[in-house]
Amino acid sequence: MTKTVNLKGASSEITLEVRSGTEGPDAIDITSLYGDMGVFTYDPGFVSTASCHSKITYIDGDEGILRYRGYPIEQLAEHSDFLEVAYLLLYGELPSAEQYSGFNHVITHHTMINESLLHFFDGFHYDAHPMAMMVGVTGSLSAFYHDSIDIQNERHREISAHRMIAKMPTIAAACFKHNLGEPVNYPRNDLSYVGNFLRMMFATPCEDYQLSPAAEKAMNLLFILHADHEQNASTSTVRLAGSSGANPFACIAAGIASLWGPAHGGANEAVLDMLEEIEDVSNIDKFIARAKDKDDPFRLMGFGHRVYKNYDPRAKIIRAVCHEVLEEVDTHDPFFEIALRLEEIALEDEYFVERKLYPNVDFYSGIIYRALGIPRNMFTVMFAIARTTGWVAHWMEMISDPKQRIGRPRQIYVGEPKRDYVSITQR
Ligand code: SDX
């Protein structure tokens, strides 16, 4: 039995179908609304708008639930590794041992980037922000891989997806080395995806690099937690760019650009800037007051979420791992103490309680990145490496959706009514 709602306008009434998913809220299908009633819906920020059907990730903001292809994030964080999660997001099922081995081989053997790409870095100033370099270099990948950008060819889509997942760590590490003025490290095929990345980041020609199992485990977890998150701003950017038929590398570059914003993936870097500005636990109340002041643009970075009106399940997991990592690397981080106290105070404050503002994935992740020796301006790059898997999974799902068409929202025009041109001598 099809569920419907009736919409009564000034001079007409229409019946709209109500669509249900496997889980989550129903959605009123308004596809015919403009044609039938000559009106638009208005939803800035798309708070109440479902842009597509998707099978990839499910979030319940009230219950603090996050599942990739039906598997709870807590179970994947405990039992899986990033490459297995990447396979799951791309193909919809956990891989068999043989499938995992094959996927690992393919990704491993796509980790090198065209040697000419390395010369791009010569054009960047030494202190260029790594996210600026990531956007530029990723967008230029389509200049090198003409053999896999026919988006109507399923095999091309798969090769491009593999190339992006494989090359993102290599490009990211090259950005870091450019900032340091150190030589780039080439990927090694005998290391894990995460181990390879850490070695490309921190190895120098002067000595053998000792990979820390604790660092590899922590980074693996952070990549799993950041891999996908439904129709967030950067994923929606990738889908919208892809809906015009743009090549996959350009779409992922657009996603990186969107992620960079401090309201989104740039928040992890902004959290550390904030903790540094707070400087001491005794200053927390002053910053809480600023966060509540409507006339002050300051917000408590790492708090709040469009969907989670409960604790972000990823923040819970990262918070627990913070303690482990800090003990493992034997670091006392004063920022961690400030973060714990800030969380405690904010969660008791009526303003935050009333608005259901809880710590999100970005609140604690920077503490771990710092402990692993990753500089603040590389935090969002970490997010981009992990989210590339979610972006390409959504891009592949969007391209192969028979209902997909170019995204083209409308508007409520509030500008000037029709008026005639006035020559400059009359103005
Ligand atoms: C990510 O979408 C995703 O899934 C994103 C992400 C992913 O994995 O892809 O989860 C990753 O981007 C996490 C969010 C990281 N951003 C931050 O930590 C930046 C700080 N947070 C805010 O900018 C904000 O909470 C957002 C952007 C996250 C959410 O913004 P919304 O949903 O548009 O909420 P809002 O701005 O309308 O806020 C509602 C109220 C407002 O107050 P009132 O007007 O009702 O009085 O809460 C207030 C806001 O002023 N508020 C905050 C606040 N966040 C919201 N006040 C102080 N500090 C904050 N952090």
Side-chain angles (χ1 to χ4, degrees):
M1 166 79 170
T2 305
K3 289 185 280 188
T4 60
V5 290
N6 292 327
L7 190 59
K8 197 167 186 173
S11 56
S12 62
E13 179 173 347
I14 61 170
T15 299
L16 297 170
E17 185 181 345
V18 176
R19 293 177 178 277
S20 300
T22 318
E23 299 199 59
D26 285 347
I28 299 171
D29 185 336
I30 56 167
T31 313
S32 64
L33 181 64
Y34 180 58
D36 292 348
M37 290 187 91
V39 293
F40 297 144
T41 58
Y42 175 63
D43 183 18
F46 308 119
V47 177
S48 305
T49 296
S51 61
C52 62
H53 285 99
S54 181
K55 298 177 180 176
I56 298 172
T57 292
Y58 175 68
I59 305 172
D60 181 321
D62 296 325
E63 300 301 320
I65 290 172
L66 168 57
R67 299 189 199 124
Y68 294 161
R69 299 287 189 178
Y71 294 97
I73 192 67
E74 295 81 3
Q75 293 182 26
L76 293 171
E78 186 179 350
H79 302 297
S80 191
D81 75 24
F82 177 69
L83 221 46
E84 182 176 78
V85 166
Y87 185 98
L88 173 66
L89 288 170
L90 278 185
Y91 297 106
E93 298 296 338
L94 288 169
S96 65
E98 187 186 352
Q99 287 167 329
Y100 180 86
S101 168
F103 186 64
N104 187 33
H105 180 84
V106 162
I107 296 297
T108 299
H109 289 81
H110 275 298
T111 48
M112 283 182 76
I113 58 177
N114 188 297
E115 199 68 5
S116 306
L117 259 174
L118 292 177
H119 299 306
F120 275 64
F121 291 93
D122 299 337
F124 291 116
H125 205 259
Y126 79 93
D127 60 355
H129 194 290
M131 283 299 280
M133 293 190 268
M134 288 289 288
V135 172
V137 175
T138 304
S140 67
L141 287 174
S142 56
F144 292 84
Y145 298 109
H146 310 289
D147 64 335
S148 68
I149 52 175
D150 171 3
I151 60 170
Q152 299 311 326
N153 179 320
E154 187 176 357
R155 182 63 189 127
H156 280 207
R157 295 201 295 265
E158 185 176 44
I159 296 171
S160 294
H162 291 166
R163 279 175 163 152
M164 273 177 290
I165 293 170
K167 298 179 193 304
M168 213 47 84
T170 310
I171 296 170
C175 294
F176 177 54
K177 288 303 194 187
H178 184 70
N179 281 158
L180 290 181
E182 289 183 5
V184 162
N185 291 305
Y186 287 86
R188 289 272 300 272
N189 294 349
D190 59 339
L191 295 175
S192 72
Y193 183 87
V194 172
N196 207 1
F197 169 63
L198 289 171
R199 184 189 161 280
M200 288 190 284
M201 282 280 287
F202 297 114
T204 69
C206 315
E207 58 190 15
D208 291 340
Y209 175 70
Q210 296 303 319
L211 180 59
S212 149
E216 190 173 8
K217 179 174 175 253
M219 188 59 74
N220 202 34
L221 172 70
L222 287 168
F223 280 179
I224 288 172
L225 297 176
H226 286 81
D228 192 53
H229 212 242
E230 200 218 60
Q231 305 306 324
N232 59 86
S234 54
T235 299
S236 297
T237 300
V238 170
R239 278 179 172 262
L240 192 58
S243 73
S244 73
N247 75 69
F249 304 104
C251 296
I252 299 306
I256 295 172
S258 171
L259 184 74
W260 195 2
H264 189 16
N268 53 19
E269 181 177 350
V271 165
L272 266 292
D273 293 341
M274 174 186 72
L275 293 176
E276 186 169 57
E277 195 182 355
I278 290 174
E279 196 181 4
D280 184 85
V281 171
S282 61
N283 298 324
I284 288 178
D285 289 341
K286 180 174 68 176
F287 283 85
I288 295 268
R290 283 189 58 195
K292 293 152 65 171
D293 178 358
K294 288 296 162 224
D295 297 325
D296 188 332
F298 175 80
R299 284 196 164 181
L300 220 46
M301 301 316 282
F303 273 79
H305 198 278
R306 170 61 56 76
V307 176
Y308 288 125
K309 300 311 172 191
N310 195 326
Y311 222 102
D312 182 332
R314 302 166 296 177
K316 266 187 197 168
I317 296 168
I318 294 175
R319 183 177 189 268
V321 171
C322 270
H323 287 286
E324 286 173 35
V325 170
L326 292 173
E327 279 164 23
E328 283 273 356
V329 296
D330 192 22
T331 304
H332 168 72
D333 187 343
F335 283 179
F336 188 40
E337 309 309 321
I338 296 174
L340 286 170
R341 185 74 186 113
L342 177 61
E343 176 196 12
E344 199 180 312
I345 295 173
L347 294 185
E348 289 164 0
D349 185 287
E350 185 51 34
Y351 174 93
F352 291 86
V353 172
E354 192 181 286
R355 289 167 179 78
K356 299 183 178 180
L357 302 176
Y358 291 89
N360 58 48
V361 68
D362 293 299
F363 186 60
Y364 284 107
S365 53
I367 303 288
I368 297 183
Y369 291 141
R370 248 165 73 93
L372 299 180
I374 292 167
R376 207 174 300 177
N377 69 356
M378 283 288 292
F379 287 2
T380 310
V381 174
M382 301 301 109
F383 200 146
I385 294 171
R387 189 54 57 89
T388 293
T389 297
W391 289 333
V392 294
H394 281 273
W395 174 75
M396 289 174 83
E397 183 178 68
M398 179 269 300
I399 293 280
S400 49
D401 179 348
K403 287 193 181 302
Q404 106 84 16
R405 49 197 307 202
I406 189 166
R408 206 275 185 219
R410 300 302 304 273
Q411 64 178 14
I412 296 177
Y413 177 69
V414 292
E416 293 292 333
K418 181 179 178 299
R419 53 184 174 165
D420 294 327
Y421 181 81
V422 177
S423 77
I424 193 161
T425 55
Q426 305 298 318
R427 289 176 216 155

